[in-house]
């Protein structure tokens, strides 16, 4: 028989298997499960940390086999078949949604053709080094665009609450297949790290080509090839080789749109073809707050020494809108994530060791479609698609941020000065490599954002004593938590409501947030396509 159970141990007991085994047997006794005279084999499944009190506790979940051997895990690689080219699917975007869609297509022997505007990881790394070191932005190859998507060079967090949308454990196993450590299968908040993820993405892409797929890097999708039969139907795509300027037409049985939240041009392409396909959605914008890691560790671990950097999650309701921490990066860095030279956009990341001297998180304010100022609604209506109003407002905020910065030098303010409405005379040392410039964020951030941030930070100071301090630095602006636009699709078939043969998925389409949920959504869409082609 098998049973699942959880035990509670201290951090000091984590590597003491004798103590763990004894606690498992005691728990079986408490559950009145008879194991006497039988082999008991516990298989570790998940670990989570409770640091809310002075005594830190670890919650360890096990699947326990009594009198039988553990079952073998399904080898995901055995499901993939070499594609023969008889059925083809174009995938626009080489992020987690696109990559996992490709592997799901291989389960049915369907050929994926991936179009990616950015570069492969090796070249992309050089472009990112130029951005962080010299402030030189390549608008098609950066932290957001390129091999593996935005997550490749900005952290590699895998945690998602969207477990009902697919098999998240399968997502993790595929990552392990290509080189991720097996602890992502058991950690409560799994994380690969930006230092390891590029090699994993390289291995995934190599396998896609080996199985008969194609990947076109540095190719910009510019237009759908459509006809009315009688419904508007996508037959293929037009792309431009960014390096040579050569234009190509590619055709396939189906098209998956797996672009990320930063590909603003995609929405305008769709709006030109069928504006009714788009709807405005809620998103969030704000700032990054950065503390010395030791300070956050001390607050969260109550002064106790732990091997890992501390995490936190903060939420508040201020004047009818949520304000919350997002993409918290313990032992991490703040990085420049603009995709146009006239913007400043920031994000956070961590390496696998999470061992930098800083910890940071986005603190963002919810923005609903009705919150968008009328001037941007009017611009969107003049362009023929009201749903784009939030996108235009977001772009305006990113440009405003650069106005108060310089190039990729970001505007910044001490948290205490932000609350006291004063310019910071000096700024603490920051992980943000391009550099920061003192600025009155409290004055120029939109009032509906800055006032809610100020109220929330006061609340957070009560939730985490010591969080509000002179060493806390605010850097603007964090705008890419999610897209302001959703591409409508049928709930059953997952096909775009207004364009036949087109299947939107992932973050850019408004159906996921992060690596794990995007990968699951890509798989889900590919499975729906496979049912129509096989």
């Amino acid at each position: 028989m098998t049973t699942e159970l959880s035990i509670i141990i201290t951090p000091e007991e984590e590597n003491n298997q004798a103590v763990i085994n004894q606690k498992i047997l005691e728990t079986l006794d408490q559950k009145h499960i008879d194991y006497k005279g039988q082999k008991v084999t516990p298989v570790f499944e998940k670990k989570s940390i409770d640091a809310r009190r002075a005594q830190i506790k670890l919650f360890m979940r096990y699947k326990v086999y009594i009198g039988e051997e553990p079952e073998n895990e399904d080898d995901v690689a055995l499901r993939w078949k070499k594609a023969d080219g008889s059925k083809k699917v174009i995938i626009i975007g080489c992020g987690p949604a696109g990559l996992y869609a490709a592997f799901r297509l291989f389960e049915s022997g369907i050929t994926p053709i991936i179009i990616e505007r950015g570069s492969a990881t090796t070249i992309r790394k050089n472009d990112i080094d130029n951005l962080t070191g010299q402030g030189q932005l390549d608008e098609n190859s950066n932290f957001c665009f390129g091999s593996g998507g935005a997550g490749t060079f900005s952290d590699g967090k895998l945690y998602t609450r969207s477990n009902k949308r697919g098999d998240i454990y399968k997502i993790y196993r595929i990552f392990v297949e290509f080189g991720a450590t097996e602890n992502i299968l058991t950690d409560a908040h799994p994380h690969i790290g930006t230092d390891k993820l590029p090699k994993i993405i390289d291995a995934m892409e190599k396998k896609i080509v080996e199985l008969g797929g194609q990947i076109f890097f540095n190719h910009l999708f510019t237009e759908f090839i459509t006809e009315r039969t009688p419904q508007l139907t996508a037959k293929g795509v037009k792309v431009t080789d960014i390096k040579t300027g050569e234009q190509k037409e590619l055709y396939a049985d189906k098209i998956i749109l797996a672009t990320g939240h930063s590909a603003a041009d995609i929405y305008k392409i769709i709006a030109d073809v069928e504006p009714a396909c788009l709807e405005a959605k809620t998103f969030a914008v704000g700032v990054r707050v950065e503390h010395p890691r030791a300070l956050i560790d001390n607050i969260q671990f109550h002064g106790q020494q732990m091997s890992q950097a501390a995490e936190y999650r903060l939420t508040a309701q201020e004047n009818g809108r949520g304000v919350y921490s997002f993409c918290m990066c313990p032992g991490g860095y703040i990085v420049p994530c603009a995709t146009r030279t006239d913007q400043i956009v920031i994000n956070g990341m961590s390496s696998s060791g999470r061992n930098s001297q800083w910890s940071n998180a986005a603190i963002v304010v919810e923005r609903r479609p009705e919150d968008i100022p009328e001037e941007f609604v009017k611009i969107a209506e003049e362009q023929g698609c009201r749903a784009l109003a939030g996108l235009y407002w977001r772009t305006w905020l990113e440009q405003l941020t650069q106005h108060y910065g310089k190039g990729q030098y970001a505007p910044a303010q001490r948290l205490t000065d932000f609350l006291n409405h004063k310019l910071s005379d000096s700024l603490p040392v920051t992980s943000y490599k391009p550099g920061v410039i003192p600025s009155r964020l409290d004055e120029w951030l939109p009032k509906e954002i800055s006032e809610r941030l100020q109220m929330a930070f006061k609340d957070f100071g009560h939730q985490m004593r010591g969080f509000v301090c002179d060493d806390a630095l605010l850097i603007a602006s964090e705008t890419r938590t999610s897209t302001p636009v959703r591409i409508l699709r049928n709930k059953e078939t997952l096909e775009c409501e207004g364009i036949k043969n087109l299947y939107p998925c992932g973050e850019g389409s408004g159906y996921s947030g992060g690596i794990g949920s995007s990968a699951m959504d890509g798989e889900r869409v590919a499975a729906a396509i496979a049912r129509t082609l096989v």
Side-chain angles (χ1 to χ4, degrees):
M1 66 169 293
T2 63
T3 187
E4 292 193 354
L5 56 81
S6 295
I7 62 172
I8 301 174
I9 61 174
T10 66
E12 294 75 22
E13 295 171 332
E14 184 176 4
N15 296 317
N16 191 328
Q17 194 60 47
V19 170
I20 290 172
N21 289 341
Q22 182 60 36
K23 287 181 178 285
I24 288 172
L25 295 180
E26 290 172 358
T27 305
L28 290 174
D29 286 333
Q30 292 167 6
K31 295 176 71 172
H32 304 292
I33 296 175
D34 183 15
Y35 60 87
K36 307 299 185 189
Q38 301 181 78
K39 182 180 180 181
V40 176
T41 307
V43 176
F44 178 49
E45 289 193 327
K46 192 73 68 178
K47 176 181 77 172
S48 58
I49 301 173
D50 182 357
R52 293 173 294 178
R53 298 172 180 82
Q55 177 56 60
I56 297 173
K57 298 178 181 178
L58 303 183
F59 288 84
M60 315 288 280
R61 193 175 76 203
Y62 290 85
K63 187 172 186 178
V64 182
Y65 295 81
I66 301 170
E68 60 183 75
E69 293 299 319
E71 57 196 24
N72 292 324
E73 289 292 345
D74 180 21
D75 188 346
V76 292
L78 295 179
R79 302 183 187 181
W80 301 326
K81 306 172 186 175
K82 191 171 179 64
D84 60 11
S86 60
K87 298 292 183 181
K88 298 179 180 179
V89 173
I90 291 171
I91 301 173
I92 304 171
C94 196
L99 290 170
Y100 275 80
F103 282 109
R104 179 58 185 85
L105 292 174
F106 283 130
E107 292 183 28
S108 301
I110 299 169
T111 303
I113 303 170
I114 299 178
I115 309 299
E116 170 55 53
R117 72 195 299 166
S119 301
T121 53
T122 303
I123 299 173
R124 186 182 177 194
K125 184 179 184 302
N126 294 333
D127 294 332
I128 287 172
D129 288 343
N130 289 335
L131 174 58
T132 55
Q134 289 84 42
Q136 298 175 359
L137 172 67
D138 184 321
E139 293 188 345
N140 289 300
S141 182
N142 43 60
F143 275 101
C144 294
F145 298 149
S147 174
T152 305
F153 288 95
S154 56
D155 206 66
K157 291 185 185 72
L158 302 181
Y159 177 69
T160 177
R161 294 186 182 90
S162 304
N163 294 337
K164 294 182 180 179
R165 297 184 182 181
D167 183 357
I168 188 62
Y169 196 60
K170 178 183 177 185
I171 302 302
Y172 296 163
R173 291 203 310 274
I174 291 177
F175 273 126
V176 171
E177 175 75 20
F178 290 104
T181 57
E182 292 195 353
N183 63 352
I184 69 170
L185 302 174
T186 55
D187 286 352
H189 292 85
H191 168 258
I192 294 177
T194 194
D195 52 332
K196 294 184 176 180
L197 197 51
K199 290 183 179 179
I200 294 169
I201 297 300
D202 282 346
M204 294 175 79
E205 291 166 351
K206 181 179 179 181
K207 190 66 175 180
I208 287 172
V209 174
E210 180 184 314
L211 290 171
Q214 294 176 277
I215 303 177
F216 291 90
F217 289 115
N218 304 121
H219 278 68
L220 179 65
F221 161 66
T222 59
E223 187 180 343
F224 290 111
I225 301 170
T226 62
E227 62 180 42
R228 290 195 177 271
T229 58
Q231 183 181 353
L232 185 66
T233 302
K235 297 291 187 180
V237 297
K238 294 182 180 180
V239 299
T240 300
D241 186 322
I242 293 170
K243 300 299 184 183
T244 67
E246 179 188 0
Q247 297 182 336
K248 300 176 184 176
E249 293 186 356
L250 302 173
Y251 294 85
D253 298 282
K254 304 286 183 180
I255 299 170
I256 294 176
L257 188 61
T259 49
H261 55 44
S262 292
D265 52 336
I266 297 298
Y267 308 119
K268 294 172 184 176
I269 292 172
I270 292 177
D272 288 342
V273 175
E274 193 66 62
C277 292
L278 303 177
E279 71 172 3
K281 63 178 280 290
T282 297
F283 61 111
V285 300
V287 297
R288 278 262 154 190
V289 59
E290 182 174 68
H291 293 81
R293 173 190 162 183
L295 188 151
I296 296 298
D297 289 355
N298 187 62
I299 294 172
Q300 292 298 84
F301 294 145
H302 310 286
Q304 296 185 54
Q305 295 296 315
M306 297 286 287
S307 59
Q308 67 262 53
E311 300 181 49
Y312 62 79
R313 182 170 179 265
L314 298 166
T315 62
Q317 281 288 323
E318 310 294 356
N319 288 342
R321 294 292 180 268
V323 185
Y324 54 92
S325 61
F326 176 83
C327 185
M328 196 269 150
C329 299
Y333 305 87
I334 298 177
V335 294
C337 287
T339 49
R340 284 174 28 175
T341 55
D342 62 350
Q343 307 167 336
I344 288 179
V345 180
I346 58 170
N347 196 3
M349 56 148 284
S350 298
S351 64
S352 58
R354 290 181 162 175
N355 53 5
S356 89
Q357 61 182 295
W358 300 275
S359 289
N360 70 77
I363 306 294
V364 293
V365 179
E366 177 188 14
R367 294 288 283 168
R368 299 178 185 174
E370 60 265 32
D371 299 333
I372 304 303
E374 188 61 32
E375 62 184 288
F376 297 98
V377 175
K378 183 177 179 181
I379 292 171
E381 289 177 339
E382 289 174 351
Q383 296 295 320
C385 185
R386 183 187 175 95
L388 296 180
L391 182 66
Y392 292 133
W393 180 85
R394 185 184 80 174
T395 301
W396 166 81
L397 179 58
E398 294 165 351
Q399 293 171 328
L400 180 69
T401 305
Q402 192 187 65
H403 174 77
Y404 286 96
K406 183 180 180 181
Q408 289 302 310
Y409 283 77
Q413 188 176 17
R414 290 182 188 265
L415 174 52
T416 48
D417 292 336
F418 180 73
L419 295 178
N420 292 322
H421 304 280
K422 58 179 286 191
L423 182 70
S424 298
D425 295 330
S426 63
L427 298 175
V429 176
T430 175
S431 67
Y432 183 73
K433 278 191 175 181
V436 291
I437 295 175
S439 179
R440 287 286 305 273
L441 308 188
D442 60 298
E443 284 190 338
W444 61 262
L445 281 173
K447 185 177 179 180
E448 62 274 19
I449 303 299
S450 62
E451 290 185 349
R452 287 186 172 93
L453 285 174
Q454 287 165 344
M455 290 185 285
F457 278 123
K458 292 175 182 178
D459 289 343
F460 297 160
H462 293 300
Q463 295 177 39
M464 288 179 63
R465 299 289 180 180
F467 187 86
V468 176
C469 63
D470 285 343
D471 289 332
L473 180 66
L474 303 186
I475 303 179
S477 290
E478 174 94 17
T479 57
R480 307 282 178 91
T481 59
S482 66
T483 172
V485 188
R486 179 177 290 112
I487 304 170
L488 297 175
R489 69 185 187 190
N490 184 279
K491 291 182 179 180
E492 300 299 325
T493 66
L494 307 184
E495 190 174 36
C496 181
E497 289 283 10
I499 306 175
K500 190 175 176 59
N501 282 351
L502 178 65
Y503 291 77
C505 71
E507 268 196 55
S509 297
Y511 293 97
S512 66
I515 293 174
S517 60
S518 294
M520 285 193 294
D521 201 50
E523 271 218 334
R524 187 179 173 212
V525 160
I529 288 175
R531 288 193 291 271
T532 69
L533 295 181
V534 178

